[in-house]
Amino acid sequence: MSRYIAGLISQGEGLTLDFKHSITDSRKIARSLVAFANTAGGTLLIGVKDNGNITGVNTDEEYYMVEAASQLYCKPEVPFEVVKWEINGKTVLEVKVKPSRRKPHKAPDKTGVYKAYIRVNDENVVASPVQIKIWKAEKYRKPINILFGEPENALIDYLKSHQTITIDHFSRLGFISVSEAEKILINLTAMGLIEYSNLNNEDHFSLRSPE
């Protein structure tokens, strides 16, 4: 059993894995829960330092703090599962969160204002306005016919030979306004033709990888 946790710890913190020495603030944990739910899901190991050392936790106290984070500080609530591990006499809680279909989930920032968070590498960051619009488009989109004009064709041709493109770059490439470029990119993302990513706090789009 400890080999499984050791394997997780050896991966280090990243997009779908976060370590917490302990929980002192349910609101802070809520930001981790919503970031996982809004992105690709993830695992929170409680009782593990950032450097991977196992310190252990008080099982009941930590569980109730996570429960409070989910029920009181996540809007809407983020479901989670907990597995308790005993390793060398120390307890580690494995909190597992699945990617959500109810995005965006929000949690309070340090000032108490509720914001949507996403996971970028090993950090929880506030979702950009474009990300919020993509979630809205995905949630309310209706079946539509895809009509490709010159801007769309130029976009696809560009992305076949370049990794990503920004909204401003697409605006110049397609000879269209920034607002029109944003709208096209959001719609194509909602349709699953391209992918959105946040790189260095900037909105980027790329061709969706074939599954």
Side-chain angles (χ1 to χ4, degrees):
M1 296 300 182
S2 61
R3 189 178 302 170
Y4 167 74
I5 293 298
L8 282 180
I9 293 175
S10 68
Q11 297 176 23
E13 294 182 299
L15 181 69
T16 60
L17 185 61
D18 198 6
F19 303 155
K20 295 296 179 186
H21 171 263
S22 60
I23 301 178
T24 57
D25 186 349
S26 287
R27 291 168 296 184
K28 187 175 181 180
I29 292 302
R31 294 196 284 272
S32 291
L33 296 180
V34 301
F36 281 143
N38 286 336
T39 313
T43 298
L44 188 64
L45 290 183
I46 304 173
V48 179
K49 287 185 175 181
D50 289 344
N51 61 10
N53 288 340
I54 296 175
T55 57
V57 291
N58 181 313
T59 307
D60 292 338
E61 180 180 343
E62 304 295 329
Y63 176 83
Y64 289 127
M65 292 285 279
V66 176
E67 188 175 53
S70 171
Q71 296 180 355
L72 301 179
Y73 297 113
C74 295
K75 297 182 178 179
E77 180 179 339
V78 173
F80 66 92
E81 297 178 1
V82 172
V83 179
K84 181 174 72 172
W85 300 92
E86 296 293 339
I87 303 172
N88 298 328
K90 298 176 181 178
T91 301
V92 172
L93 291 184
E94 179 190 14
V95 180
K96 296 184 285 187
V97 176
K98 294 180 179 179
S100 176
R101 295 182 179 180
R102 302 178 67 194
K103 297 176 282 192
H105 293 269
K106 296 182 179 182
D109 64 10
K110 294 180 179 179
T111 66
V113 177
Y114 275 77
K115 296 180 180 179
Y117 289 83
I118 59 172
R119 193 79 175 162
V120 177
N121 297 321
D122 61 349
E123 296 183 350
N124 304 324
V125 302
V126 176
S128 72
V130 168
Q131 176 68 83
I132 301 293
K133 291 177 182 178
I134 289 172
W135 285 330
K136 184 176 180 180
E138 289 174 339
K139 185 175 181 180
Y140 296 108
R141 72 184 180 95
K142 300 177 181 179
I144 59 174
N145 292 322
I146 303 174
L147 299 176
F148 272 64
E150 291 185 6
E152 289 86 353
N153 287 321
L155 171 67
I156 298 302
D157 287 340
Y158 179 86
L159 289 178
K160 286 179 179 178
S161 56
H162 298 79
Q163 282 192 324
T164 68
I165 193 170
T166 63
I167 295 172
D168 286 342
H169 190 168
F170 177 41
S171 171
R172 297 191 298 272
L173 179 73
F175 298 99
I176 54 178
S177 67
V178 172
S179 60
E180 182 63 19
E182 178 184 286
K183 181 180 179 181
I184 290 173
L185 288 168
I186 288 173
N187 285 337
L188 292 178
T189 302
M191 285 184 245
L193 296 179
I194 60 176
E195 292 181 316
Y196 167 85
S197 59
N198 183 291
L199 302 175
N200 299 319
N201 293 320
E202 188 174 36
D203 301 308
H204 284 256
F205 298 83
S206 59
L207 283 180
R208 179 171 291 278
S209 302
E211 299 180 359

